[in-house]
Every structure is written in structure tokens, then in C-alpha cells.
Amino acid sequence: MAKDMTLWWGSGSPPCWRVMIALEEKKLQGYNQKLLSFEKGEHKSKEVMDVNPRGQLPAFKCGDKIINESYGACFFLECEYMSQGTKLIPVNSSEKALVLQRTFEGNTLHQKMVDVFMYNRRVPENERQESAFKRLKETLTGEVQMWEGHLQKTPGGFLAGKSFSMADVIVYPSVALLFRMGLSEKRYPKLSEYHKNLKDRPSIKATWPPLWKDTPGQDFLKDI
């Protein structure tokens, strides 16, 4: 089963990490995997481009099926192996609605985070404006505050209730990256508790980015 799957991934990339957590949760260990370096441009290699013409990671194949978008890959794994491993999308209608809401909200959090992280890379030095960067950080602050509020209102320790779900698969990697980049634990106690409590979950511990084990975090987001 898992031997027919191949994942090309980069260490520390939340989209890649999502797929790896989903594979672990669905008991699909033993898949083929290739760790590539973004710094060396290995995600633009012919091997990757043949699977994902955008030259992005993750790139994922299951048999002859290609699902490169991380959301799509995670949902595919849940649908294809519904009776195996952790049930990531509940049957109950109300519970399912909350899981799906939080799951797709995760894209907004991730995008606002990337907007801040990538500003200096994407905008030429002579076009950068402190006021524009400040607005991006303020937007991210508001988004993080919203997630802190979600956890305050949702009992159970997970993003969508009392059970680990697709919402956690999708969003946890972004939350972990926020704290690695210096997000204040004191300012966001519920998010910090969530981050720490899930660190030792087998699927997350087994897929923790190797790059993070060998390099220190940063204080880039200390004022968010």
C-alpha cells in the first residue's frame, strides 16, 4: 500500500509536513520519500518538475495518481483510507462542520504568515516600505489573535474539539513555525499550550523537521 507512494519534501515546510503527518496518522509508514534542499534548488529538478510542473514541494504520487497540493493530498489519504488509522474527519454533521471550518481557515493563517516572512525576498530593496511591512505584521497579529480565541472557546485541547482531526494536521505545522520564528508564548498562552501538547504526538514527533533539530529558532516574530 504505502510502498506505492512517493513524497518529495523539504524540511521545515508546513505544506510538506502536513502530508507527512497525515501519512503517519493513517498508518501509512514505509512510503518512499526524498528529502530535498530548497537552498540548493532541488525542488526545481527535472525529477520534481515531472511530477509537479510548478516546481514546488510537496510533490506526491500514490500509484499513478498525482496529488501535489497539500490539502488535496491530506484529503485524498483520509478518503482513500477512511477505515485505517485516525479518523480525521468526523461523521457527526456539527463536528464535521467545525473541522472543515478550521481546516480551511488554516490557509488564511499560513498565507498571512508567509506574507510577513517573504516580504524582503519578494519585494526589491528599493521598493520596500516600512509602513507596508508594518501593515502585514498587524494583519498577522490579528489572525494569530483569532486562533488564540478559537482555542479559548474550544474545549478538548485540539483545534476543532476533543479529538485530533484534519484541522490539526493542516494547521499545526504553521503554528509550530510561528513559535520557531519567535511568537510570544506569554502573549498567546492557549496557542503555546496547544503547540507544546502536540509536540509529543507520535505522528508529529516522527515527522519533526530535521532542519529544526539542528538549528536554533529565531526572534523574527517577537513583536507580533
Side-chain angles (χ1 to χ4, degrees), residues 191-204:
L191 266 176
S192 177
E193 181 183 13
Y194 168 76
H195 172 236
K196 290 177 181 177
N197 286 346
L198 262 66
K199 256 186 177 182
D200 288 328
R201 187 175 179 86
S203 64
I204 290 172

Side-chain angles (χ1 to χ4, degrees), residues 132-185:
F133 187 53
K134 182 181 178 182
R135 283 195 299 273
L136 290 175
K137 289 196 292 185
E138 289 172 348
T139 300
L140 177 58
T141 299
E143 183 67 24
V144 175
Q145 289 171 344
M146 185 172 294
W147 285 91
E148 177 73 10
H150 286 339
L151 284 166
Q152 289 172 356
K153 298 171 188 174
T154 308
F158 299 103
L159 288 177
K162 297 179 180 179
S163 300
F164 187 89
S165 72
M166 185 66 79
D168 301 293
V169 170
I170 294 293
V171 180
Y172 183 83
S174 296
V175 171
L177 181 54
L178 284 168
F179 281 106
R180 176 172 170 78
M181 297 300 288
L183 190 70
S184 170
E185 294 182 357

Side-chain angles (χ1 to χ4, degrees), residues 20-48:
M20 298 175 82
I21 293 172
L23 285 161
E24 290 287 326
E25 291 289 340
K26 301 311 290 185
K27 305 298 182 189
L28 292 165
Q29 296 91 345
Y31 57 93
N32 303 296
Q33 55 174 299
K34 298 188 179 184
L35 172 58
L36 303 177
S37 168
F38 290 110
E39 288 72 21
K40 294 178 181 177
E42 292 175 348
H43 56 301
K44 300 295 185 183
S45 67
K46 183 180 185 304
E47 181 181 8
V48 174

Side-chain angles (χ1 to χ4, degrees), residues 43-218:
H43 56 301
K44 300 295 185 183
S45 67
K46 183 180 185 304
E47 181 181 8
V48 174
M49 296 291 283
D50 285 346
V51 181
N52 188 346
R54 286 193 170 90
Q56 297 173 343
L57 300 177
F60 180 65
K61 281 186 75 174
C62 179
D64 60 354
K65 297 173 282 293
I66 295 174
I67 316 103
N68 292 319
E69 293 299 322
S70 61
Y71 272 61
C74 291
F75 273 83
F76 171 83
L77 292 169
E78 171 63 8
C79 293
E80 196 76 359
Y81 304 98
M82 197 172 293
S83 61
Q84 182 172 318
T86 306
K87 191 164 189 61
L88 297 173
I89 300 177
V91 175
N92 176 275
S93 182
S94 296
E95 293 175 357
K96 183 188 295 183
L98 183 57
V99 167
L100 293 176
Q101 174 62 30
R102 293 288 179 267
T103 297
F104 284 91
E105 276 186 272
N107 191 50
T108 302
L109 173 65
H110 184 73
Q111 187 56 57
K112 290 179 179 179
M113 179 177 69
V114 169
D115 288 343
V116 171
F117 290 167
M118 299 299 289
Y119 181 77
N120 286 341
R121 289 191 186 184
R122 291 175 173 172
V123 180
E125 189 172 357
N126 63 338
E127 295 179 17
R128 294 174 197 160
Q129 297 181 2
E130 185 58 35
S131 59
F133 187 53
K134 182 181 178 182
R135 283 195 299 273
L136 290 175
K137 289 196 292 185
E138 289 172 348
T139 300
L140 177 58
T141 299
E143 183 67 24
V144 175
Q145 289 171 344
M146 185 172 294
W147 285 91
E148 177 73 10
H150 286 339
L151 284 166
Q152 289 172 356
K153 298 171 188 174
T154 308
F158 299 103
L159 288 177
K162 297 179 180 179
S163 300
F164 187 89
S165 72
M166 185 66 79
D168 301 293
V169 170
I170 294 293
V171 180
Y172 183 83
S174 296
V175 171
L177 181 54
L178 284 168
F179 281 106
R180 176 172 170 78
M181 297 300 288
L183 190 70
S184 170
E185 294 182 357
K186 186 179 292 187
R187 204 171 295 136
Y188 302 101
K190 283 293 185 181
L191 266 176
S192 177
E193 181 183 13
Y194 168 76
H195 172 236
K196 290 177 181 177
N197 286 346
L198 262 66
K199 256 186 177 182
D200 288 328
R201 187 175 179 86
S203 64
I204 290 172
K205 194 171 184 178
T207 57
W208 196 262
L211 180 66
W212 294 8
K213 296 175 183 177
D214 303 327
T215 56
Q218 301 178 32

